[in-house]
């Protein structure tokens, strides 16, 4: 029985835990959901709720597609650069849905759980564009499962109200630039860490007493 319950945990067959929250880290029913939203105490992934505001969702917006992409690229670069200060970012996703539970959500998956925890602790004391940030650890582990496959091929008939993630993507050149900058930073930090370890080892060797014969 325990093995069966473990096998259906977080799936649609699970009558206790919410499969949408498990997959996406958000549920349209919120606290009114009839199933449990089990918030993780440790995770590589964080969620910053409703952080991105797409100008295109404003009825008064008169920006063209190129301007909208430039606006988003600036946002993406700004947020990625800031989040990378907490640790190595494996993936960052921004939702372009319009449903209250997904609109503007930013997900960031770190290489290490400790970095994700430090990011959440710090971000909850921060503001962005004059608004307070609300960050939490997220159960999302696989963004492929969380994303709407129909949207990726422009065939989703639910539009922005879909309950799966509709991601907004940065310019490919920008993404490559950010990833390369992060690789160089991580490489430099590892080099500095090795140098400190080596200096510490040498210092300990020099401090060791000489018990040789007079």
């Amino acid at each position: 029985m325990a093995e069966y319950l473990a096998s259906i945990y977080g799936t649609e067959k699970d009558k206790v835990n919410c499969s949408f929250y498990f997959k996406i880290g958000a549920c349209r029913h919120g606290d009114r959901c009839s199933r449990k939203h089990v918030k993780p105490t440790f995770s590589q992934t964080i969620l910053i709720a409703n952080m991105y505001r797409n100008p295109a969702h404003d009825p008064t917006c008169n920006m063209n597609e190129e301007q909208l992409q430039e606006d988003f690229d600036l946002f993406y670069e700004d947020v990625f650069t800031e989040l990378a200060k907490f640790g190595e970012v494996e993936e960052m996703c921004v939702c372009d849905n319009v449903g209250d539970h997904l609109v503007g959500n930013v997900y960031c998956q770190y290489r290490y759980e400790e970095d994700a925890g430090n990011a959440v602790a710090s971000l909850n004391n921060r503001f962005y564009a004059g608004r307070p940030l609300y960050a939490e650890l997220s159960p999302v582990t696989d963004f492929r499962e969380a994303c709407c496959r129909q949207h990726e091929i422009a065939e989703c008939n639910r539009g922005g109200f879909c309950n799966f993630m509709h991601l907004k993507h940065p310019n490919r050149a920008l993404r490559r630039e950010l990833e390369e900058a992060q690789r160089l930073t991580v490489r430099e930090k590892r080099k500095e860490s090795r140098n400190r370890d080596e200096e510490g080892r040498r210092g300990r060797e020099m401090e060791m007493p000489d018990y040789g014969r007079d």
Side-chain angles (χ1 to χ4, degrees), residues 23-200:
K23 282 183 181 179
I24 304 171
C27 167
R28 65 188 177 93
H29 299 295
D31 295 336
R32 295 177 285 104
C33 185
S34 61
R35 300 184 185 184
K36 289 183 179 179
H37 292 177
V38 181
K39 295 183 181 293
T41 53
F42 299 97
S43 177
Q44 292 173 254
T45 307
I46 71 169
L47 160 65
I48 311 173
N50 313 130
M51 185 180 186
Y52 172 60
R53 290 192 170 182
N54 189 343
H57 296 165
D58 184 345
T60 63
C61 176
N62 56 8
M63 299 169 69
N64 59 36
E65 287 299 320
E66 184 178 349
Q67 291 170 327
L68 288 169
Q69 185 62 49
E70 288 177 359
D71 180 83
F72 177 71
D73 286 345
L74 287 171
F75 170 85
Y76 190 94
E77 180 178 12
D78 191 22
V79 176
F80 185 99
T81 302
E82 191 62 29
L83 294 180
K85 293 177 181 178
F86 298 103
E88 188 174 349
V89 173
E90 293 197 327
E91 194 166 1
M92 184 178 117
C93 298
V94 182
C95 291
D96 201 26
N97 304 63
V98 296
D100 290 343
H101 62 300
L102 285 174
V103 61
N105 284 2
V106 174
Y107 294 82
C108 181
Q109 190 172 66
Y110 287 94
R111 183 173 184 182
Y112 300 110
E113 291 179 346
E114 182 181 0
D115 296 333
N118 290 336
V120 167
S122 176
L123 292 170
N124 278 321
N125 296 313
R126 305 273 291 276
F127 286 74
Y128 185 85
R131 296 180 292 119
L133 298 179
Y134 298 99
E136 62 182 43
L137 294 176
S138 172
V140 177
T141 56
D142 187 348
F143 287 106
R144 291 172 300 178
E145 289 293 316
C147 291
C148 175
R149 294 183 178 88
Q150 284 73 30
H151 174 69
E152 295 299 321
I153 56 175
E155 291 185 1
C156 179
N157 57 16
R158 299 201 65 185
F161 289 99
C162 180
N163 285 320
F164 287 93
M165 294 182 191
H166 284 196
L167 299 186
K168 190 164 181 63
H169 301 286
N171 179 284
R172 290 183 180 179
L174 172 62
R175 185 192 289 272
R176 286 195 299 269
E177 181 183 325
L178 292 171
E179 290 173 349
E180 180 59 26
Q182 178 174 244
R183 277 194 291 270
L184 292 173
T185 300
V186 169
R187 190 182 307 161
E188 188 62 30
K189 286 183 177 178
R190 288 174 180 168
K191 182 179 178 181
E192 290 175 359
S193 179
R194 286 196 299 268
N195 290 340
R196 284 196 300 269
D197 291 344
E198 181 64 20
E199 289 174 1

